[in-house]
Amino acid sequence: MSDASWLPSLTTETPEEGFALAVKMARVAVKLTQPDAAVRDAGRAAYGGNADSLIAASQVVATHFATVAAANDYWKGR
Amino acid sequence: MSDASWLPSLTTETPEEGFALAVKMARVAVKLTQPDAAVRDAGRAAYGGNADSLIAASQVVATHFATVAAANDYWKGR
Amino acid sequence: MSDASWLPSLTTETPEEGFALAVKMARVAVKLTQPDAAVRDAGRAAYGGNADSLIAASQVVATHFATVAAANDYWKGR
Amino acid sequence: MSDASWLPSLTTETPEEGFALAVKMARVAVKLTQPDAAVRDAGRAAYGGNADSLIAASQVVATHFATVAAANDYWKGR
Amino acid sequence: MSDASWLPSLTTETPEEGFALAVKMARVAVKLTQPDAAVRDAGRAAYGGNADSLIAASQVVATHFATVAAANDYWKGR
Amino acid sequence: MSDASWLPSLTTETPEEGFALAVKMARVAVKLTQPDAAVRDAGRAAYGGNADSLIAASQVVATHFATVAAANDYWKGR
């Protein structure tokens, strides 16, 4: 594992930062799922694409955010 | 991070406010997933679109509401 | 918030009432997602529509029921 | 609420009975989502229909089973 | 209930066995959802079918595995 | 069970390794769901395929990552 891990921790300072992390996790998952160039193009299309694709991508974000929020004990002090 | 965070906290006074927050989170996810103008139009179409798109968007809301409800310990005193 | 909140609490007496609440939450989510009239029509179509739409709507109900059940500690004494 | 509740409890003796309950919950959700006759027909089609509909219906069962299993503390003594 | 329950317990020795159980649960759900012969054929098609059907079936497996893993306290000693 | 289990443990050192494990679990699920050659080809198509297939595959990864993260108590010390 390189020093520059793309996911060093699930801990964030704020809910907003946690949400941004969930968006990043959804994007990276597409790349890791199939890393070659043709698929990267498909990935780009996925996120710039039609309404249903956008909603489906948002569902992935929501699933990751649930994980990140649990990891941060829901930032309960805030 | 600006002072005016769109998601300063997952804590809400009531379940109804928590539900409204989940709807907001679903909307913001679409914008963050792909922030350029063409996609914003697609996003609008997503929420004004056909029945299946609406149900899929509701699924995203349901996933976020599960997170918000857990963050509020399900508003158990109410 | 008005006195007549549509979601004053996640607590219900019985699992059956909790299930009915989950169905209501799924319906309200459609309205909140996009509240104008054209979408309300689409929403109606969603629930009276084809088999796949019905199953997708049932998935939303299942997700909300998981939240309501956790809020009620699964009605474990029953 | 009638004495003959269709969902008096989430507690079951065994995992297998819990799974059967999850199947029942998925079926009832379709009926509650839209109770009129035309939709009941659509519901029947949903469960007798094509492969993708069957998988989608299985996803609803899986979501309900997760709830039932948690309610039974995963039948851990078994 | 017969002695030969198809799901006597959610407990498994290893994560790999738990994953196999989740695959089995996904398969059985299709049969229980609609047990007649025509649907069994559709079920077979579901699992031998196209890429999107396979991914959807994998989603059902993932949901069941989450339940099985929780039931085994994530096999944390391993 | 062979000594070379493909899933000996859900424990990983880092979140990044946990994410890679979730990607692996999503891939294996496709193979276990239907192990014959024709389906393996379909599986390959699934991961090299269009944008919607990629997003759906990412959803499976997100579900598995939630399980792996819980198994590691969210790597909270990091």
Side-chain angles (χ1 to χ4, degrees):
Chain A
M1 195 187 71
S2 91
D3 285 353
S5 169
W6 72 270
L7 187 64
S9 169
L10 299 184
T11 305
T12 70
E13 278 293 308
T14 65
E16 188 175 351
E17 289 171 7
F19 207 90
L21 179 57
V23 172
K24 180 183 177 183
M25 290 161 77
R27 285 195 174 130
V28 172
V30 167
K31 291 182 191 164
L32 291 178
T33 295
Q34 172 51 287
D36 79 30
V39 171
R40 271 200 298 278
D41 288 347
R44 262 193 293 273
Y47 289 103
N50 65 35
D52 287 340
S53 297
L54 268 174
I55 294 171
S58 299
Q59 181 65 46
V60 179
V61 170
T63 302
H64 281 309
F65 183 69
T67 302
V68 172
N72 287 278
D73 199 22
Y74 304 102
W75 304 274
K76 274 185 179 168
R78 303 189 75 87
Chain B
M1 196 187 73
S2 89
D3 285 354
S5 170
W6 72 269
L7 187 64
S9 169
L10 298 184
T11 305
T12 69
E13 278 293 308
T14 65
E16 188 175 352
E17 289 171 7
F19 207 90
L21 179 58
V23 171
K24 180 183 178 183
M25 291 161 76
R27 284 194 174 132
V28 172
V30 167
K31 291 183 192 164
L32 291 178
T33 296
Q34 172 51 288
D36 79 31
V39 171
R40 271 199 299 277
D41 289 347
R44 263 193 293 273
Y47 289 104
N50 64 36
D52 287 340
S53 297
L54 268 173
I55 295 172
S58 299
Q59 181 66 46
V60 180
V61 170
T63 302
H64 281 309
F65 183 68
T67 302
V68 172
N72 287 278
D73 200 21
Y74 304 101
W75 304 274
K76 274 186 180 167
R78 303 190 74 87
Chain C
M1 196 187 72
S2 89
D3 285 353
S5 169
W6 73 270
L7 188 63
S9 169
L10 298 184
T11 305
T12 69
E13 278 294 309
T14 65
E16 187 174 352
E17 289 170 7
F19 207 90
L21 179 57
V23 171
K24 181 183 178 182
M25 291 161 77
R27 284 194 173 132
V28 172
V30 168
K31 291 183 191 164
L32 291 178
T33 296
Q34 170 50 289
D36 78 31
V39 171
R40 270 199 299 277
D41 289 347
R44 263 193 292 274
Y47 288 105
N50 65 36
D52 288 339
S53 297
L54 268 174
I55 294 171
S58 299
Q59 181 66 45
V60 180
V61 171
T63 303
H64 281 309
F65 184 68
T67 302
V68 172
N72 286 278
D73 200 21
Y74 304 101
W75 303 275
K76 275 186 180 167
R78 302 190 75 88
Chain D
M1 195 187 71
S2 89
D3 285 352
S5 168
W6 72 270
L7 188 63
S9 168
L10 298 184
T11 304
T12 69
E13 278 294 309
T14 65
E16 188 175 351
E17 289 171 6
F19 207 90
L21 178 57
V23 172
K24 180 183 179 184
M25 290 161 77
R27 286 195 172 130
V28 172
V30 168
K31 291 182 190 163
L32 291 178
T33 296
Q34 171 51 289
D36 79 30
V39 171
R40 270 200 298 277
D41 288 347
R44 262 192 293 273
Y47 288 105
N50 65 35
D52 288 339
S53 297
L54 268 174
I55 294 171
S58 299
Q59 181 65 45
V60 180
V61 171
T63 303
H64 281 309
F65 183 69
T67 303
V68 172
N72 287 278
D73 200 22
Y74 304 102
W75 304 275
K76 274 186 182 168
R78 302 189 76 87
Chain E
M1 193 187 71
S2 90
D3 285 353
S5 169
W6 72 270
L7 188 63
S9 169
L10 298 184
T11 305
T12 69
E13 278 294 309
T14 65
E16 188 174 351
E17 289 171 6
F19 207 90
L21 179 58
V23 171
K24 180 183 177 183
M25 290 162 77
R27 286 195 173 130
V28 172
V30 168
K31 291 183 192 164
L32 291 178
T33 296
Q34 173 50 289
D36 78 30
V39 171
R40 270 199 299 277
D41 288 348
R44 262 193 293 273
Y47 288 104
N50 65 34
D52 288 339
S53 297
L54 268 174
I55 295 172
S58 299
Q59 181 65 45
V60 180
V61 171
T63 303
H64 281 308
F65 183 68
T67 302
V68 172
N72 287 279
D73 199 21
Y74 304 101
W75 304 275
K76 274 186 181 168
R78 304 190 73 88
Chain F
M1 193 187 71
S2 90
D3 284 353
S5 168
W6 71 271
L7 188 64
S9 169
L10 298 183
T11 305
T12 69
E13 278 293 308
T14 64
E16 188 175 351
E17 289 171 5
F19 207 90
L21 179 58
V23 171
K24 181 183 177 182
M25 290 161 76
R27 285 196 173 129
V28 172
V30 168
K31 290 183 192 163
L32 292 178
T33 296
Q34 171 51 288
D36 80 30
V39 171
R40 270 200 299 277
D41 288 347
R44 262 193 293 273
Y47 288 103
N50 65 35
D52 288 339
S53 296
L54 269 174
I55 295 172
S58 299
Q59 181 65 45
V60 179
V61 171
T63 303
H64 281 309
F65 183 69
T67 302
V68 172
N72 287 277
D73 200 21
Y74 304 102
W75 304 274
K76 274 185 181 170
R78 303 189 74 87

